[in-house]
Amino acid sequence: MAPPANAQRSPSPSQPSGKGEVSDLKMQLRQLAGSRAPGADDSKRELFKKVISYMTIGIDVSSVFSEMVMCSATSDIVLKKMCYLYVGNYAKNNPDLALLTINFLQRDCKDEDPMIRGLALRSLCSLRVANLVEYLVGPLGSGLKDSNSYVRTVAAIGVLKLYHISASTCVDADFPTLLKQLMLNDPDPQVVANCLSALQEIWTLEGSKSEEASRDREILLSKPVIYFLLNRIKEFNEWAQCIVLELVTKYVPADSNEIFDMMNLLEDRLQHANGAVVLASSKLFLQLTLSMTDVHQQVYERIKAPLLTLVSSGSPEQSYAVLSHLHLLVMRAPYVFSSDYKHFYCQYNEPFYVKKLKLEMLTAVANESNTYEIVTELCEYAANVDIPIARESIRAVGKIALQQYDVNAIVDRLLQFLEMEKDHVTAETLVLVKDLLRKYPQWSHDCIAVVGNISSKNIQEPKAKAALIWMLGEYAQDMQDAPYILESLIENWEEEHSAEVRLHLLTAVMKCFLRRPPETQMALGAALAAGINDFHQDVHDRALFYYRLLQYNVSLAERVVNPPKQAVSVFADTQSSEIKDRIFDEFNSLAVVYQKPSYMFTDKEHRGPFAFSEELGNLSIGEESNDNIASPQTVEANDKDLLLSTSEREESKGLSNNGSEYSAPASNASATQAQMDLVSLDYKSTTNAPSASFAIDDLLGLGLPTESTPAPPPPPPALSLNPKAALASTVFQQKWRQLPISTSQEIPMNPQGVAALTTTQALIRHMQANSINCIASGGQAPNFKFFFFAQNANDECTYLVECITNSASCKAQVKIKADDQSTSQAFLELFQSTLSKFGLS
């Protein structure tokens, strides 16, 4: 049935019905101000609710400030609370309006109702207006001496708020001394806890400024204070108990008897229902017994049961936090938990992050007595429909195998994984088989027999393909089809996007050639040709290195590429023992959950890379001063003649050949020559080249050019830049948004340049001296971001460059946009050449 035409939906209290809604509220509040008529408080409540709801969704209702203050003259505590919430929200940004609230808040601080006194004092301290601190001293002093414990509780935290607003006012009023007396004498445990929390923070901050504060801070760690708090710990709530236990961990007992007395006193805290209290007690027990080896091991046994109980009884988030601490203990004493490995089996309804951590713990507790059961359980997970868990379980099996527990059975299990015909299972298993063969080469015959049946076409993941290629090269003499599999992979070189795979492919075909030259001759020539012309710097350098190594001495190449190897005894740990010890010292903190010391995620120098914006708005356009920047004419002449390194020169030339002594073999498009030679490569030798290199050229099909060979075409003229180029920042931004990216490449930086790149100014001066100007820059070490521009001296083509440098990796990510994209590659080479000279002069 349709609603009547005149029916109207009542407006929502959280959405204003028009622009005049706030004005209407102001008028209604003014009418009710001071009214004592029956039902006035109920009307005020409705209006206050509307004001608070508007404020919550971001509507500015500061215009009704004075009306809200006038309406607060009531005994209704609900109205008081809403008014205090409103005042606390607008007072900080409107200090002039906050002054209006002082009178009624001070009046409420003397109210007969202790609840109103406490709320008023809390609101007064929450104003956080520096010029109003003088009005806080009196109410705080009265609050600390109030007969009601709630008011004293609020006053204790209020002192801390005052200290953060004005430390001198707080200290001059002698509030820390009052807090200390209140902490030691007050009968209410919550007041004691608040005083302790406030004193710890005040004396810690003040200790760096005053010797007296440092002495006062030591009082908290004195034996009488520690024993006073421990004897009352059962009276405190969970939050306060954690504060007390954290303080006690900093106390140094006099002897072992005192340690045992403290542990006996806190024994029942390990059975507490709150996980934070259990973890805090565990940390205290571990810290107290660090110097007592035997007792320390018994503490592991004692805290094991409460922690395992917390894992199974809490939420997934709590389980993960407790498991993180258990994981730390397992890494320090795995044998203590070896009999409890079943607690770390995964449940079907657990989230991935909990399952992953449990798999790591199963790996850590595995030993001779439980390996079979653990591996059997992990193999069940390998067939799980949850692919990430299947991958992690296979990795866990491999880690256990590398720990030298029951290797025979584990290798058999891993080889069975290869027969499951699941892509993700096969991929993870291949990576593990490679590591196993590095440590247990005696298993090569069994592993290679199974791996040889795997088609490389079915392996798509880069790490797995790289592992398969490594085995093809390392055991080429045992795998009959190794040269032909490698040859098929080289034929698809251009389709392989992973640099890791291409690097492994170069090394594998090199090893295979040294063991089976006739079958691998053609594949090696094709691999070197493709590698030298590869766009990736590392691939290019490795291919060029192998080529020159073979050219110099084949026997030496074999000793370098395929030397006798010893089995790997221990694989490198991802964390040093020092890092693990530091994490242990921060037990019961986020450091354990993040598995890194706190300084790594709190200090600026250990934070992640600088997050750059794609737009120029976040960069300091025009901030970088151009004063004292050397002009191009002042650059020394010999700076222009600095040569590129051999590998950089080879890469910059690409397919061209300028007659350099170490020019890379260039592709020859002649079909007739391709039929005559094993590979279609030309090599231009110099008179100083050793005659022994001719043999390797012939072997790989690198034919020497005769006199009838036509001379290579002259190199294109070098790109010339306009030294007086100018571009407004607004024009730069407009062009940057409109032009497509012409080329993008990661280029290396020389170590001297990285060392010199402490500020953006150093690189800006260097580039401007080479007619490449900076329009904006930003960031902090080790990551800087620059926007450069340059202009072609011949046709006024403008080049725009985004350059992100990373000092840690010695790399620079460069994006270039150009009016004429046909010359962008030439400009990239010029830019790379200029960048490579940075720091050398």
Side-chain angles (χ1 to χ4, degrees):
M1 180 177 177
N6 58 353
Q8 295 183 352
R9 187 177 59 180
S10 59
S12 170
S14 62
Q15 295 181 353
S17 57
K19 294 182 179 179
E21 183 71 17
V22 177
S23 300
D24 293 343
L25 278 175
K26 185 174 183 178
M27 185 180 301
Q28 294 176 42
L29 286 170
R30 181 167 295 180
Q31 292 173 356
L32 291 174
S35 174
R36 299 184 180 277
D41 285 350
D42 293 337
S43 300
K44 288 181 182 179
R45 279 193 185 190
E46 294 300 320
L47 293 175
F48 274 34
K49 286 180 182 179
K50 282 189 177 184
V51 172
I52 297 299
S53 64
Y54 290 174
M55 182 182 72
T56 303
I57 63 176
I59 297 176
D60 184 13
V61 287
S62 58
S63 59
V64 300
F65 198 98
S66 56
E67 285 75 15
M68 291 287 288
V69 173
M70 287 189 291
C71 288
S72 64
T74 177
S75 58
D76 190 337
I77 193 170
V78 176
L79 287 175
K80 293 279 188 185
K81 286 183 178 181
M82 287 192 286
C83 184
Y84 296 154
L85 178 61
Y86 173 85
V87 168
N89 185 69
Y90 283 108
K92 186 176 181 180
N93 296 326
N94 300 275
D96 296 334
L97 295 177
L99 189 60
L100 301 175
T101 65
I102 294 298
N103 289 333
F104 91 87
L105 286 176
Q106 285 185 324
R107 184 175 64 251
D108 286 349
C109 287
K110 300 176 183 178
D111 196 275
E112 295 179 357
D113 188 344
M115 183 64 68
I116 293 179
R117 293 202 303 271
L119 288 172
L121 183 58
R122 185 176 69 178
S123 300
L124 188 62
C125 296
S126 299
L127 294 180
R128 300 186 185 276
V129 180
N131 57 4
L132 300 181
V133 291
E134 58 187 89
Y135 300 103
L136 302 183
V137 177
L140 276 177
S142 302
L144 291 173
K145 300 174 184 178
D146 199 280
S147 59
N148 186 272
S149 61
Y150 172 70
V151 180
R152 296 196 303 274
T153 300
V154 172
I157 296 300
V159 171
L160 181 58
K161 293 179 180 179
L162 174 63
Y163 179 83
H164 285 297
I165 300 172
S166 175
S168 58
T169 303
C170 180
V171 174
D172 293 343
D174 206 21
F175 281 142
T177 303
L178 292 176
L179 286 179
K180 182 176 69 174
Q181 295 173 357
L182 199 62
M183 179 186 70
L184 297 176
N185 300 309
D186 199 285
D188 188 270
Q190 189 60 46
V191 176
V192 175
N194 282 16
C195 290
L196 175 61
S197 179
L199 283 175
Q200 278 187 282
E201 189 165 345
I202 291 174
W203 281 344
T204 299
L205 296 173
E206 198 68 21
S208 58
K209 309 173 186 176
S210 167
E211 293 184 3
E212 183 181 357
S214 299
R215 290 192 297 270
D216 290 337
R217 184 175 56 183
E218 294 175 0
I219 293 177
L220 290 178
L221 297 176
S222 62
K223 184 174 180 178
V225 174
I226 294 296
Y227 274 54
F228 166 76
L229 295 173
L230 287 178
N231 287 325
R232 296 191 63 181
I233 194 168
K234 294 182 181 179
E235 303 174 16
F236 298 134
N237 59 23
E238 292 89 345
W239 175 80
Q241 288 184 36
C242 291
I243 292 179
V244 172
L245 291 171
E246 185 64 28
L247 176 67
V248 177
T249 57
K250 303 173 184 176
Y251 173 69
V252 181
D255 50 32
S256 59
N257 291 329
E258 190 175 353
I259 292 177
F260 288 121
D261 288 343
M262 295 172 64
M263 293 172 65
N264 289 332
L265 183 63
L266 297 171
E267 174 77 14
D268 60 338
R269 296 300 92 190
L270 292 174
Q271 308 297 331
H272 201 281
N274 186 277
V277 176
V278 176
L279 285 175
S281 304
S282 301
K283 177 181 180 178
L284 177 59
F285 278 43
L286 292 168
Q287 294 287 347
L288 289 174
T289 58
L290 274 177
S291 59
M292 308 164 66
T293 307
D294 295 339
V295 180
H296 191 70
Q297 298 302 323
Q298 294 176 16
V299 168
Y300 278 86
E301 293 284 356
R302 178 64 188 86
I303 66 178
K304 177 176 66 174
L307 293 178
L308 290 175
T309 302
L310 285 175
V311 170
S312 58
S313 60
S315 63
E317 293 78 13
Q318 176 180 308
S319 297
Y320 182 78
V322 178
L323 272 174
S324 299
H325 289 78
L326 272 172
H327 180 258
L328 181 62
L329 299 179
V330 165
M331 298 302 291
R332 293 176 66 89
Y335 56 89
V336 175
F337 299 87
S338 60
S339 60
D340 301 284
Y341 62 90
K342 291 186 178 180
H343 286 88
F344 308 134
Y345 282 178
C346 298
Q347 305 296 324
Y348 76 95
N349 58 346
E350 289 175 333
F352 170 75
Y353 54 86
V354 173
K355 291 181 179 179
K356 185 176 184 295
L357 192 55
K358 283 189 172 183
L359 292 177
E360 293 179 9
M361 299 179 72
L362 285 172
T363 304
V365 301
N367 58 22
E368 294 88 341
S369 62
N370 59 22
T371 296
Y372 178 81
E373 290 79 5
I374 291 177
V375 172
T376 301
E377 180 74 11
L378 292 175
C379 289
E380 293 296 327
Y381 302 154
N384 200 308
V385 294
D386 189 352
I387 293 179
I389 289 298
R391 290 179 181 273
E392 292 294 337
S393 63
I394 296 172
R395 292 171 192 160
V397 173
K399 290 177 182 177
I400 295 174
L402 295 176
Q403 294 172 359
Q404 299 182 353
Y405 299 133
D406 195 13
V407 179
N408 300 350
I410 296 177
V411 172
D412 291 339
R413 297 285 184 91
L414 286 175
L415 295 181
Q416 290 175 9
F417 288 159
L418 294 176
E419 300 173 357
M420 292 179 63
E421 296 183 354
K422 291 184 178 181
D423 293 344
H424 63 279
V425 175
T426 303
E428 291 296 336
T429 306
L430 282 174
V431 176
L432 292 177
V433 169
K434 182 196 74 171
D435 290 338
L436 284 175
L437 291 178
R438 292 175 63 197
K439 187 167 186 176
Y440 308 114
Q442 66 271 21
W443 284 94
S444 61
H445 182 74
D446 293 338
C447 293
I448 294 304
V450 179
V451 172
N453 296 326
I454 299 176
S455 174
S456 60
K457 297 180 181 179
N458 298 330
I459 308 299
Q460 301 299 328
E461 297 184 20
K463 287 187 177 297
K465 187 177 289 189
L468 177 61
I469 292 172
W470 178 87
M471 286 183 274
L472 289 171
E474 191 70 21
Y475 300 98
Q477 72 278 10
D478 299 327
M479 302 178 71
Q480 184 177 359
D481 296 333
Y484 311 107
I485 298 175
L486 291 173
E487 185 176 358
S488 65
L489 290 169
I490 294 170
E491 290 175 354
N492 299 319
W493 182 281
E494 298 297 334
E495 300 175 7
E496 183 53 62
H497 301 293
S498 171
E500 179 185 10
V501 174
R502 300 199 299 273
L503 287 169
H504 275 79
L505 191 54
L506 280 172
T507 303
V509 74
M510 187 77 171
K511 291 178 180 178
C512 190
F513 171 77
L514 294 172
R515 292 171 179 172
R516 301 167 66 174
E519 299 168 273
T520 322
Q521 179 179 350
M522 185 173 182
L524 177 60
L528 291 178
I532 289 172
N533 293 318
D534 197 278
F535 66 90
H536 195 279
Q537 184 70 34
D538 294 336
V539 178
H540 167 84
D541 289 350
R542 182 173 296 189
L544 197 60
F545 169 70
Y546 286 161
Y547 173 79
R548 291 173 180 166
L549 194 59
L550 287 172
Q551 184 188 56
Y552 180 75
N553 191 306
V554 177
S555 299
L556 178 61
E558 185 168 10
R559 294 200 301 271
V560 171
V561 178
N562 196 29
K565 298 182 181 65
Q566 294 182 351
V568 178
S569 57
V570 178
F571 285 86
D573 197 350
T574 55
Q575 284 186 337
S576 65
S577 57
E578 180 184 357
I579 293 293
K580 292 178 180 178
D581 290 340
R582 295 195 65 165
I583 296 175
F584 181 76
D585 292 338
E586 300 183 52
F587 196 87
N588 191 28
S589 70
L590 281 177
V592 181
V593 178
Y594 291 162
Q595 297 185 12
K596 60 178 68 174
S598 59
Y599 73 87
M600 287 189 175
F601 56 86
T602 54
D603 293 350
K604 289 183 178 180
E605 58 268 24
H606 290 96
R607 291 177 183 168
F610 187 84
F612 291 110
S613 171
E614 284 296 317
E615 295 298 328
L616 298 179
N618 293 339
L619 297 178
S620 54
I621 298 178
E623 280 189 10
E624 301 291 354
S625 175
N626 292 328
D627 298 338
N628 302 322
I629 295 181
S631 63
Q633 289 77 10
T634 62
V635 181
E636 295 180 1
N638 58 359
D639 286 348
K640 299 180 181 179
D641 297 328
L642 289 173
L643 297 177
L644 295 174
S645 65
T646 301
S647 62
E648 290 171 327
R649 191 186 313 129
E650 294 293 349
E651 183 185 50
S652 65
K653 287 186 300 183
L655 298 178
S656 66
N657 187 346
N658 62 1
S660 174
E661 286 188 357
Y662 280 102
S663 57
S667 297
N668 187 345
S670 172
T672 305
Q673 184 68 21
Q675 294 174 358
M676 295 173 59
D677 294 335
L678 292 178
V679 289
S680 56
L681 294 174
D682 286 336
Y683 173 70
K684 184 177 177 70
S685 175
T686 64
T687 56
N688 296 328
S691 60
S693 67
F694 297 163
I696 197 66
D697 290 334
D698 292 337
L699 179 63
L700 298 180
L702 305 179
L704 291 174
T706 63
E707 294 181 358
S708 60
T709 303
L719 187 68
S720 177
L721 298 180
N722 182 4
K724 298 181 180 180
L727 190 69
S729 60
T730 54
V731 177
F732 185 99
Q733 294 184 50
Q734 184 179 7
K735 281 179 171 289
W736 186 262
R737 294 190 186 99
Q738 293 175 351
L739 293 175
I741 296 176
S742 301
T743 180
S744 177
Q745 186 171 328
E746 187 178 67
I747 59 179
M749 298 178 62
N750 65 67
Q752 295 89 340
V754 171
L757 190 59
T758 56
T759 63
T760 57
Q761 281 290 341
L763 182 58
I764 290 173
R765 292 191 182 96
H766 171 76
M767 301 302 284
Q768 185 165 2
N770 291 272
S771 303
I772 301 176
N773 302 283
C774 181
I775 193 74
S777 63
Q780 58 185 5
N783 298 280
F784 293 102
K785 185 173 185 178
F786 303 87
F787 282 94
F788 295 106
F789 72 90
Q791 289 180 348
N792 193 329
N794 299 322
D795 57 6
E796 297 298 328
C797 172
T798 301
Y799 304 99
L800 311 181
V801 184
E802 178 194 68
C803 178
I804 302 176
T805 62
N806 188 307
S807 302
S809 62
C810 297
K811 297 288 181 67
Q813 183 66 41
V814 177
K815 294 180 182 178
I816 295 177
K817 299 183 178 183
D819 293 334
D820 182 7
Q821 298 190 24
S822 62
T823 59
S824 59
Q825 185 62 33
F827 176 75
L828 173 63
E829 295 171 4
L830 177 61
F831 186 89
Q832 181 177 354
S833 173
T834 305
L835 186 62
S836 67
K837 299 175 185 178
F838 176 56
L840 298 179
S841 58

